[in-house]
Amino acid sequence: DQVERAYLHEDVGNALEDLYGDRVGEMETRAGTGALAVQLAWHFEEAGITDKAIRYLHQAGERAVQLSAYQEAVAHLTRGLALLMALPDSGDTERHPVCDEQELSLQLTLGMASIGATGYGPEVERIYFRARELSQQLGRTPELCRSVGELSIVNYVQAEYQAARELAEEALSLAQQTKDPLLIVLGTWHLGFVLFALGE
């Protein structure tokens, strides 16, 4: 029956975790696929252990992005977000910050996958707009910097040049606040790309 099947899926998922433990990511890197994470996600989703299913779908999505398997990554990450959104509310008007953190991480990875799959279209804009909202709510400047920078490129592609420039300037300003050299380089690239494309 269904309950027994759920317990069996949980047992299989737990057995695989016991077998590979913290080496799941290492195994995926060596094998070159996200198959183990996908398998674990499926077992835990069937068992009703949603938090683990989400974690492994995210891991599978990240691995697919590394392999440039963007459509596959989008599928895993979209499924992870759907599971996260379906979690029962605690009764509070606001979600728990942990859920927001998880969603932010999933959205940022989904953004990269979607750019690879379809380019800087309306779906990518929606993803990074949501990531910007979550970053602001959580006070996460590095993630906000990345989201705003990607939105600048979306606006450039949509021929919204002034908005693209303003967002790129904001992204660079945020990057400079973090003092993170990688984010500063990324912020400089976003602004440089827009200015170059505008002939400046």
Side-chain angles (χ1 to χ4, degrees):
D1 76 341
Q2 196 169 355
V3 174
E4 188 176 338
R5 195 176 305 122
Y7 281 125
L8 286 171
H9 279 292
E10 183 179 0
D11 288 344
V12 172
N14 287 333
L16 286 170
E17 276 192 325
D18 288 343
L19 186 61
Y20 295 108
D22 294 333
R23 297 179 304 136
V24 172
E26 178 192 327
M27 296 295 294
E28 301 289 36
T29 302
R30 268 195 269 148
T33 69
L36 181 56
V38 173
Q39 193 176 11
L40 282 161
W42 179 67
H43 285 301
F44 285 122
E45 183 178 351
E46 292 295 311
I49 304 172
T50 310
D51 59 329
K52 285 190 175 186
I54 294 166
R55 188 173 83 222
Y56 285 117
L57 282 166
H58 191 187
Q59 194 171 330
E62 287 179 326
R63 185 63 186 143
V65 167
Q66 291 170 357
L67 296 170
S68 301
Y70 298 118
Q71 296 286 359
E72 187 178 328
V74 167
H76 296 321
L77 296 161
T78 302
R79 182 68 194 140
L81 280 166
L83 289 175
L84 185 63
M85 296 301 119
L87 286 174
D89 286 335
S90 61
D92 298 332
T93 53
E94 293 183 12
R95 283 194 321 174
H96 195 280
V98 171
C99 288
D100 288 341
E101 291 273 0
Q102 275 186 300
E103 185 188 349
L104 176 57
S105 188
L106 284 162
Q107 293 282 10
L108 288 171
T109 310
L110 179 59
M112 288 188 294
S114 298
I115 291 167
T118 59
Y120 284 92
E123 182 61 17
V124 169
E125 182 177 29
R126 186 195 63 74
I127 290 165
Y128 281 112
F129 187 82
R130 178 63 181 152
R132 180 173 70 176
E133 284 181 336
L134 290 165
S135 301
Q136 288 170 331
Q137 287 171 21
L138 294 164
R140 300 286 297 270
T141 306
E143 289 80 359
L144 180 58
C145 175
R146 287 177 53 198
S147 303
V148 171
E150 293 300 339
L151 283 171
S152 74
I153 304 303
V154 169
N155 276 264
Y156 174 79
V157 169
Q158 295 173 351
E160 298 288 344
Y161 302 124
Q162 189 55 40
R165 181 180 190 154
E166 288 169 8
L167 286 163
E169 287 170 349
E170 182 185 346
L172 180 56
S173 174
L174 289 163
Q176 289 165 340
Q177 289 172 34
T178 68
K179 296 185 171 47
D180 180 329
L182 185 59
L183 287 176
I184 291 170
V185 168
L186 188 60
T188 303
W189 181 86
H190 284 124
L191 182 56
F193 173 82
V194 172
L195 293 177
F196 176 77
L198 294 176
E200 295 185 38

